[in-house]
Amino acid sequence: MPELRYEPVTDTWVIIATERAKRPKDFVPLVMAAKKEGQNCPFCPGNEDQTPPEVMAYRPGGSAPDTPGWQVRVVPNKYPALDDAAADPPRRDFFLSGPAAGRHEVIIETPDHDRSLARQEPEEILLALAAWQERYRRLGQDPGIAHTQIFKNHGVVAGASLEHPHSQLIATPLVPAAVRSRLESTRAYHRERGRCYYCDTLAAEEREADRVVYADGSLLAFCPFASRFPLEVWLVPRRHAASFAEADRGELRSLAGALKAVARRLLEGMRDPPFNLMLHSLPYRETGYRDSFHWHLELAPRLTVLAGFELGAGMFINPTPPEMAAEFYRA
Amino acid sequence: MPELRYEPVTDTWVIIATERAKRPKDFVPLVMAAKKEGQNCPFCPGNEDQTPPEVMAYRPGGSAPDTPGWQVRVVPNKYPALDDAAADPPRRDFFLSGPAAGRHEVIIETPDHDRSLARQEPEEILLALAAWQERYRRLGQDPGIAHTQIFKNHGVVAGASLEHPHSQLIATPLVPAAVRSRLESTRAYHRERGRCYYCDTLAAEEREADRVVYADGSLLAFCPFASRFPLEVWLVPRRHAASFAEADRGELRSLAGALKAVARRLLEGMRDPPFNLMLHSLPYRETGYRDSFHWHLELAPRLTVLAGFELGAGMFINPTPPEMAAEFYRA
């Protein structure tokens, strides 16, 4: 029977559409090759001059900036969506606009072009996460930046234009409305029950157990009850902390292990489908939500299309019950 | 210079990303053939037994239901996302769910398999819109239905699984949260200024003129100031009315003409890109919003990917300024 399931953080009802139920193996992921660029890949070692100058890198051998020898390298996006130098747009009568000020950076996760997340060792993933955190913290010191969204697009259908493994960050001068409403809904939950919504969800998911994908001492990964996407996974640290800036090395290490496990199952069991990975973290100066927000990652495989119903009504149709998805990941 | 533009109905900031500016001709739309099905297309005349029995049809010759001779035919979706017969899901401790009750129907717009929207005559489009309205009104009489979302997915990337021209409706037992917040934001505008946001937008777009795509006595079509999608178009009736149920024949006729013009430009100038078309209309029993909401259509070509930034932060990056998009449509 189809079922409507409620996701309170985004106030969204999801249709778990069992009439059109799809087991993971029923999907034919739309796998399209991103630009390989061959020897011209701007993210490959030796081509450092094809990106803007790096803002940071891990260089165990102490090599010079913008030369080979790095493990992780962070550079400004060559075609930034936001730009600190953006000027004020013309004033208009009725319409509201502002300068697109901010930062748009690329985290090149590995020097190895063919080493996608699923193929990286947890130690390598840990380094990329450490770079995420270093940039996340640093950008928070800029008074012009209100929020940093870190994300990864894997595969063309998920928005990746280059194949070389990388993630991105976009730091905005404002708190996006969708982020604001997540803060509000989880604070409302906290006011009502005196507890963090995510802490309660961790306990409930662990109790029901059938949506759990991965667990260790510091992290739980599960397919959320009201998954919007087939095979969606949330990776949530057990320790309550509102900001990703507060994650400790042990938590990042757990996260790296869980990401490796999830990505490898997708690669091996699903022929490497496209996916997006999103960090959710408290915006820098929103201290009023420290008890009610809880940083975590959400991974959304892109096996269905966001079409007219989703864009118009904001509801999602998910043909794969999360209990079935979790079984796939645990196999 | 890049610019942030504000869309007050959805409280969304859009990045008009001029650093990565794309003229319409720069896009290479991801055009993928949907299932042609050849003689087995379930929507073609002669195959009426391949769909559930029709709920209505326009049959000028008076032919029998579920036989050929129709101009427009409406049938329940064979694999409905929602189902009036859905049973209550099991009660759970922490998680909220409900039966996925409702209706999911397909409006087959023409008997001609190859006659996509751009190739239909305005008179044919008018018939399909009349069928939309007839079903929209009828479903509103069901006390179990709170809202009907009508939409059209054109092209595989926009979510169409069958090629034969069709649109869909999903009638839900609740008002989706995204619809609810559009009602609230436009009512807040109305309370503050004493006017309808859409009526004011019509006046402002007509005044600035450079985003207008199509105009006649009863309708204005324009690329909205804070377009989330490249080549996005809103089609808004000049007469204030909250519900699509109130549209008169003249307004539907204007809408048909505008849709034809827009779809033809996309077909001829852009090699038939995928798009979604969404109706926005007052939910059936939300009478408190009659003065502040204003029914209209939104058309979103799918030339960019909704990726990690959009899914995570809910902000959009649009590489095509709407002024440039409108110029394309007017050409």
Side-chain angles (χ1 to χ4, degrees), chain B residues 6-201:
Chain B
Y6 185 62
E7 204 291 279
V9 181
T10 53
D11 189 19
T12 304
W13 285 92
V14 175
I15 302 172
I16 305 292
T18 50
E19 287 300 300
R20 30 175 81 185
K22 282 194 166 183
R23 304 195 154 269
K25 67 175 176 46
D26 296 339
F27 286 103
V28 182
L30 204 53
V31 178
M32 304 187 53
K35 269 191 280 185
K36 257 208 189 289
E37 301 268 358
Q39 302 205 324
N40 292 323
C41 169
F43 295 166
C44 274
N47 294 340
E48 285 81 2
D49 61 340
Q50 292 185 31
T51 67
E54 68 194 39
V55 294
M56 65 161 277
Y58 294 139
R59 298 180 171 278
S63 52
D66 300 317
T67 67
W70 48 273
Q71 293 174 308
V72 176
R73 186 167 178 258
V74 182
V75 299
N77 193 305
K78 200 168 178 177
Y79 306 102
L82 294 170
D83 186 337
D84 267 337
D88 282 331
R91 286 264 171 95
R92 292 176 184 90
D93 226 18
F94 175 75
F95 301 104
L96 183 61
S97 61
R103 302 277 305 177
H104 187 173
E105 300 179 353
V106 177
I107 299 97
I108 308 170
E109 299 161 3
T110 163
D112 186 343
H113 186 100
D114 296 313
R115 210 162 170 82
S116 70
L117 189 64
R119 294 183 175 94
Q120 293 172 35
E121 290 308 314
E123 275 304 317
E124 298 173 273
I125 300 173
L126 175 61
L127 273 187
L129 293 175
W132 282 20
Q133 194 182 44
E134 198 172 323
R135 289 307 295 159
Y136 185 87
R137 286 174 174 164
R138 175 60 64 93
L139 289 164
Q141 294 166 11
D142 180 339
I145 300 297
H147 183 59
T148 295
Q149 176 68 54
I150 302 184
F151 59 99
K152 177 177 172 64
N153 302 333
H154 175 78
V156 171
V157 170
S161 52
L162 291 171
E163 190 187 53
H164 194 119
H166 68 284
S167 18
Q168 297 179 67
L169 68 80
I170 295 184
T172 51
L174 49 89
V175 177
V179 175
R180 170 76 58 200
S181 57
R182 284 162 190 262
L183 298 183
E184 295 298 343
S185 59
T186 46
R187 186 160 70 176
Y189 182 96
H190 189 270
R191 282 188 172 150
E192 201 180 304
R193 318 212 192 178
R195 293 184 309 272
C196 159
Y197 168 76
Y198 294 98
C199 290
D200 276 5
T201 301

Side-chain angles (χ1 to χ4, degrees), chain A residues 19-180:
Chain A
E19 287 301 300
R20 29 175 81 186
K22 282 195 165 183
R23 305 195 154 270
K25 67 173 175 50
D26 296 338
F27 286 102
V28 182
L30 204 52
V31 178
M32 303 186 54
K35 271 192 278 184
K36 258 210 188 288
E37 301 268 358
Q39 301 204 326
N40 292 322
C41 170
F43 296 166
C44 274
N47 295 340
E48 285 81 1
D49 60 340
Q50 293 185 29
T51 67
E54 69 194 38
V55 293
M56 65 161 278
Y58 294 139
R59 299 181 170 279
S63 52
D66 300 316
T67 68
W70 49 272
Q71 293 175 308
V72 176
R73 185 167 178 258
V74 182
V75 299
N77 193 305
K78 201 167 177 178
Y79 306 102
L82 294 171
D83 187 339
D84 268 337
D88 283 330
R91 287 261 172 97
R92 292 178 185 88
D93 224 20
F94 175 75
F95 301 104
L96 183 61
S97 62
R103 303 277 304 177
H104 188 173
E105 300 179 353
V106 177
I107 299 97
I108 308 169
E109 299 162 3
T110 162
D112 186 342
H113 187 101
D114 296 311
R115 210 161 170 81
S116 70
L117 188 65
R119 295 183 174 93
Q120 293 171 35
E121 290 307 314
E123 276 304 318
E124 299 173 273
I125 300 172
L126 176 60
L127 273 187
L129 293 175
W132 282 19
Q133 194 182 44
E134 199 173 322
R135 289 308 295 159
Y136 185 87
R137 287 174 174 161
R138 174 61 64 94
L139 289 164
Q141 293 165 12
D142 180 339
I145 299 297
H147 183 60
T148 296
Q149 176 68 54
I150 303 184
F151 59 98
K152 178 177 171 66
N153 302 333
H154 175 78
V156 171
V157 170
S161 52
L162 291 171
E163 190 186 54
H164 194 119
H166 67 283
S167 15
Q168 297 180 67
L169 68 80
I170 294 184
T172 51
L174 49 90
V175 176
V179 175
R180 170 76 56 200

